Amino acid sequence: MNRVVVHYHEIALKRGNRPAFVNQLVDNIGRALRGTGVKRIRALAGRIVVNLTPHADWPEISRRLQRVFGIANFALSWRAERDIDAITATVLEAIDGRQFSSFAVRAKRADKGFHIPSPEIGRLVGSAVVERSHAKVDLRNPELTINVEVVQREAFVGLGRVAGPGGLPVGASGTVLALLSGGIDSPVAAWRMMRRGCQVAFVHFHGAPYQDRTSRDKVMELAQLLTPYQLDSRLYLVAFGEIQRQIVTQVARPFRVVLYRRMMMRIAEALAASTETRALALVTGESLGQVASQTLSNLTVTEEAVSIPVLRPLIGMDKAEITAQAQQIGSFEISIQPDQDCCQLFIPRHPATRSTVPEIHAAEQALDIPALVRQGLESVTVSTFASPAIRATAASEQTKAPATC
Ligand code: ATP
Ligand code: MG
């Protein structure tokens, strides 16, 4: 073992922008694998090769690469000279000491200048493996898959491919700010945006001083869970209880939920513009029609409060689909813990399912919106999270507002 060969899929379909995506992926792999025994990472035609030190920690490397978006699959690999005898000898070295009763050799020439066609490489290598191991060839359901890839100046032998998470490398699509509520939906929405190549910052609105810490603790746990996918995260916590109380004293009951949402959007927009975040869009976990605040008219009214784009990656998913994804990510168990959700604070039993922009503008006349936004921003605390790869210190909580917002 001395290499990992990483394959990507979606990036390979890009044309002009492909080098930028590949560079981002190389960078992310390097950061994710810090401290595991990596010597060098290089991009070759259609694949990325990670050179390892003799004491590299393969189980840990495999665990971390499974969270690097942009990777289609990867395999523990050995380098060989571009020569069929050298390739065969390397395969025999790679399988030395392994127990398996059936196998398949999958050969691929990325460089068609190599004189032996792929099926013939498979046949030649396969018969040497049969002779050495006495295992059966099983092309359909092999216990061990041996991949042989011939590239321009060398060849690689890989054993047992591991699936990566797919998608695009984090950072390739810019930064977004996700509104994280502590419910089931918003962590899934944030994860899906990471998978589309976004670095995701988080903001959570909590009911202090009228509610306890439970929603904050949950969101901290969710941010920690999501961080290995993007290596470092920033979470803004906004005290929203007092702002809600002021809305409640000034505005008729049915509109309160929509007004809360519009205030959240405005504060989030200001945080998105801060120099330390520079997010290009907001992200929510809304799904059309799921609850009263998520009717098409309420979504429109909510969004009208800001000029930054609002992305809703779950808009067409139903609760069962979102729940299944939350379980797969591991956020479900955290999300279902009971908490005090600020959206439940001072809300009417029957919130308006259909509000209109003029109606809401009229209701907001009673409020000093810039002052409420300022109040929210002054309450902000920032927590930062780092995955083990780049963790210098444990997650730290600072009590200061972000710069220039
Ligand atoms: P979730 O499961 O994400 O809580 P939900 O189905 O409970 O969503 P709502 O409570 O209506 O729906 O919230 C819709 C979206 O608004 C959330 O997905 C989230 O993006 C945002 N949001 C709601 N409450 C908060 C909050 N307290 N802090 C941050 N974002 C919030
Ligand atoms: Mg919620």
Side-chain angles (χ1 to χ4, degrees), residues 181-186 261 290 294 341 343-344:
S181 69
I184 295 168
D185 308 329
S186 45
R261 281 291 142 74
Q290 194 187 80
Q294 296 174 28
D341 173 1
C343 292
Q344 303 305 321

Side-chain angles (χ1 to χ4, degrees), residues 108-127:
K108 198 169 172 191
R109 288 180 306 163
D111 174 18
K112 300 284 189 256
F114 188 66
H115 64 290
I116 307 175
S118 304
E120 183 66 5
I121 301 173
R123 209 184 51 73
L124 292 168
V125 171
S127 52

Side-chain angles (χ1 to χ4, degrees), residues 179-187 203-206 261 264 283-286 290-291 293-294 319 341-343:
L179 283 80
L180 206 55
S181 69
I184 295 168
D185 308 329
S186 45
V203 56
H204 173 67
F205 298 85
H206 57 86
R261 281 291 142 74
M264 285 185 187
V283 176
T284 74
E286 288 157 318
Q290 194 187 80
V291 286
S293 59
Q294 296 174 28
K319 198 75 189 183
D341 173 1
C342 77
C343 292

Side-chain angles (χ1 to χ4, degrees), residues 2 19 50 100 110 115 132 140 160 171 196 245 257 306 315 322 348:
N2 54 11
V50 182
F100 55 96
H115 64 290
R132 175 68 61 91
R140 284 231 177 127
R196 297 313 301 154
R245 197 192 58 79
V257 175
V306 290
I315 196 71
I322 298 168

